[in-house]
Amino acid sequence: MDIVNRLVEQRPLVIFSRSSCCISHSVMQLINSYGANATIYQLDEMSNGQEVDKALQRLGLRRRLVGGAKEIISLQIQGRLVPMLKEAGAIW
């Protein structure tokens, strides 16, 4: 789990994705549409991508850790995505 903490520290918005996933691409486009500049990690292009993926799964959901496209879309529909991005300092 330290590996995930190192990847996200000092960054307001981080997205872990897979380069071939069209849903991940859609989520990134949604986030970008608000002017947020996320740090993107493509797990399938990282030498330790499987290790990072397992660590993310073990972390589960914590404050400010949002998992999966389904949850992102749900937050968007509920009107909670933009406030979360602002709280994280990803947008103003």
Side-chain angles (χ1 to χ4, degrees):
M1 290 182 227
D2 288 338
I3 189 166
V4 172
N5 290 330
R6 284 193 308 270
L7 292 171
V8 301
E9 68 185 352
Q10 306 299 318
R11 293 175 179 88
L13 179 60
V14 175
I15 297 175
F16 293 95
S17 177
R18 290 194 175 19
S19 59
S20 62
C21 180
C22 63
I23 295 172
S24 293
H25 178 74
S26 297
V27 167
M28 288 185 279
Q29 290 298 107
L30 173 64
I31 298 292
N32 288 337
S33 74
Y34 291 114
N37 188 16
T39 300
I40 309 290
Y41 292 108
Q42 300 290 357
L43 295 173
D44 57 323
E45 295 176 358
M46 298 172 65
S47 61
N48 61 347
Q50 287 183 334
E51 180 184 350
V52 173
D53 190 26
K54 287 178 185 175
L56 288 167
Q57 291 175 29
R58 282 192 307 269
L59 281 172
L61 299 179
R62 296 183 182 171
R63 185 177 182 275
R64 297 181 68 185
L65 178 61
V66 178
K70 182 178 178 181
E71 187 173 0
I72 298 290
I73 299 304
S74 178
L75 289 168
Q76 169 68 7
I77 291 168
Q78 295 170 23
R80 295 176 42 211
L81 181 60
V82 170
M84 284 183 78
L85 291 171
K86 287 180 180 177
E87 181 183 331
I91 62 174
W92 292 265

